[in-house]
Amino acid sequence: MVQVMYTEVRRDRVASPRGTQDLLFDLSHRGQDRVKDTQPYEVVVGELLPGTTYRVLVKARGAAGDGRPSPPKNVTTEPQDRCSPPDAPSRPEAAALSDSEVALSWKAGRSAGSSPLLHYTVEVSRSVWNGSWELLGDRVRAESLVIRGLEAGVWHQFAVRAVNTHGSSPLSEPSNRVRTLAAKSLGLGQRAFRYEVDPGKRFSGSEETGSGHSGRRSEMGKER
């Protein structure tokens, strides 16, 4: 375990009470010979103020007690305008592919923030959850994907967050509501699907199972 001690510095003087964070890290990748192992350790300290200088010390902690603190070092965090997360992505568009699959697509928000976009996270809300959201997939690098393993005959909505090194965007506007329905066999290698995208619209189409392509769709009925 490592204990990081830090204090805010103003005009070369300590300006706030000392804060501490105990951080655990994995030593399994370290060499057996501690004398020859010169690979540096790296830990991340969070919940600091932007654009602020801190005096930082580090010491090891173990069963035998605490080690000596390191020499102090002044570190300044980035200002707020240089550490902003991305804007929320556009409203996702959802289309059912089968009784257990939905195709989802979206676009990046207006700004990637203060650093390049890393990936997206996708969340889902089901009608039986009364509006609660659950993380469905993280580190999604494309702006579309096919979501598999969904429950048949249930309404779903999806939302997306963008992530950069400074954090996550707000959740996007929820997608259109889409319901997966049972599949009917068309013929060898093909299946026909009936599903609803928002109440009152019925569609059908054919494609290979799990292909991830939307295929041709035709409207079966008008709004009721």
Side-chain angles (χ1 to χ4, degrees), residues 91-162:
R91 183 192 189 204
E93 296 182 1
L97 299 179
S98 73
D99 57 341
S100 62
E101 298 173 320
V102 167
L104 193 68
S105 63
W106 62 91
K107 294 182 180 180
R110 294 182 179 180
S111 171
S114 301
S115 63
L117 193 66
L118 295 177
H119 56 262
Y120 297 95
T121 62
V122 179
E123 299 183 26
V124 61
S125 176
R126 297 181 176 91
S127 57
V128 295
W129 291 352
N130 298 320
S132 61
W133 292 89
E134 179 185 80
L135 181 65
L136 187 65
D138 59 358
R139 300 188 181 279
V140 178
R141 301 191 182 279
E143 294 181 357
S144 64
L145 78 161
V146 175
I147 300 168
R148 296 181 170 88
L150 300 174
E151 186 178 353
V154 174
W155 286 101
H156 299 79
Q157 275 188 297
F158 303 90
V160 182
R161 296 183 194 269

Side-chain angles (χ1 to χ4, degrees), residues 147-212:
I147 300 168
R148 296 181 170 88
L150 300 174
E151 186 178 353
V154 174
W155 286 101
H156 299 79
Q157 275 188 297
F158 303 90
V160 182
R161 296 183 194 269
V163 181
N164 67 11
T165 56
H166 302 297
S168 301
S169 73
L171 200 62
S172 70
E173 183 182 351
S175 71
N176 53 297
R177 295 176 66 233
V178 61
R179 185 171 70 180
T180 52
L181 295 183
K184 296 181 179 180
S185 176
L186 243 192
L188 184 62
Q190 289 187 321
R191 303 175 75 184
F193 307 105
R194 291 179 58 83
Y195 58 90
E196 294 187 12
V197 180
D198 288 334
K201 296 287 186 178
R202 291 185 179 275
F203 297 82
S204 69
S206 63
E207 65 190 85
E208 293 183 19
T209 304
S211 69

Side-chain angles (χ1 to χ4, degrees), residues 60-105:
R61 308 190 72 181
D66 293 358
R68 288 185 177 182
S70 67
K73 181 177 181 178
N74 286 1
V75 179
T76 302
T77 57
E78 294 280 5
Q80 184 68 58
D81 60 355
R82 294 181 59 185
C83 54
S84 59
D87 289 342
S90 68
R91 183 192 189 204
E93 296 182 1
L97 299 179
S98 73
D99 57 341
S100 62
E101 298 173 320
V102 167
L104 193 68
S105 63

Side-chain angles (χ1 to χ4, degrees), residues 11-57:
R11 298 180 182 178
D12 294 327
R13 294 185 179 182
V14 173
S16 65
R18 185 174 69 181
T20 61
Q21 289 192 29
D22 290 335
L23 303 170
L24 297 174
F25 53 93
D26 184 12
L27 291 177
S28 61
H29 67 286
R30 309 294 295 188
Q32 296 299 317
D33 189 341
R34 294 292 186 261
V35 175
K36 295 181 179 179
D37 187 359
T38 59
Q39 181 180 349
Y41 295 99
E42 180 177 306
V43 294
V44 177
V45 179
E47 299 182 6
L48 302 178
L49 297 174
T52 303
T53 298
Y54 292 89
R55 185 160 296 166
V56 182
L57 301 91

